[in-house]
Amino acid sequence: MCGDGAVTIPETCDDGNVMGSDGCSDTCTRDVGYECEQEPSVCTDIDECSLEMDDCPAGDICVNIDGGFTCFAM
């Protein structure tokens, strides 16, 4: 049951609530740009910039934001 803090199939996370946009969605799937571990799930933002997972054009600056990143032209 989503929101009970236990990760059960087909859930990919369960942080003990049914709020979205906190890394684990209201349907107990991992939000894009987050990693989730443990039970109840603890979700943390992935820093796409430092991991070089961004697709910013050459010369732009990558800035990490919750759940993703943004590119700034220089």
Side-chain angles (χ1 to χ4, degrees), residues 23-44:
C24 186
S25 76
D26 59 349
T27 58
C28 290
T29 57
R30 185 180 50 84
D31 289 328
V32 173
Y34 289 87
E35 293 179 326
C36 301
E37 298 177 356
Q38 304 172 0
E39 288 185 71
S41 298
V42 175
C43 301
T44 55

Side-chain angles (χ1 to χ4, degrees), residues 1-6 8 11 14 28:
M1 179 174 167
C2 183
D4 65 359
T8 55
E11 299 172 344
D14 193 325
C28 290

Side-chain angles (χ1 to χ4, degrees), residues 2-65:
C2 183
D4 65 359
V7 180
T8 55
I9 296 173
E11 299 172 344
T12 56
C13 61
D14 193 325
D15 58 2
N17 67 57
V18 290
M19 291 177 31
S21 301
D22 61 355
C24 186
S25 76
D26 59 349
T27 58
C28 290
T29 57
R30 185 180 50 84
D31 289 328
V32 173
Y34 289 87
E35 293 179 326
C36 301
E37 298 177 356
Q38 304 172 0
E39 288 185 71
S41 298
V42 175
C43 301
T44 55
D45 177 60
I46 297 170
D47 187 345
E48 292 88 354
C49 300
S50 68
L51 295 173
E52 298 181 1
M53 296 171 59
D54 65 271
D55 58 0
C56 293
D60 283 9
I61 294 177
C62 179
V63 176
N64 188 63
I65 58 174

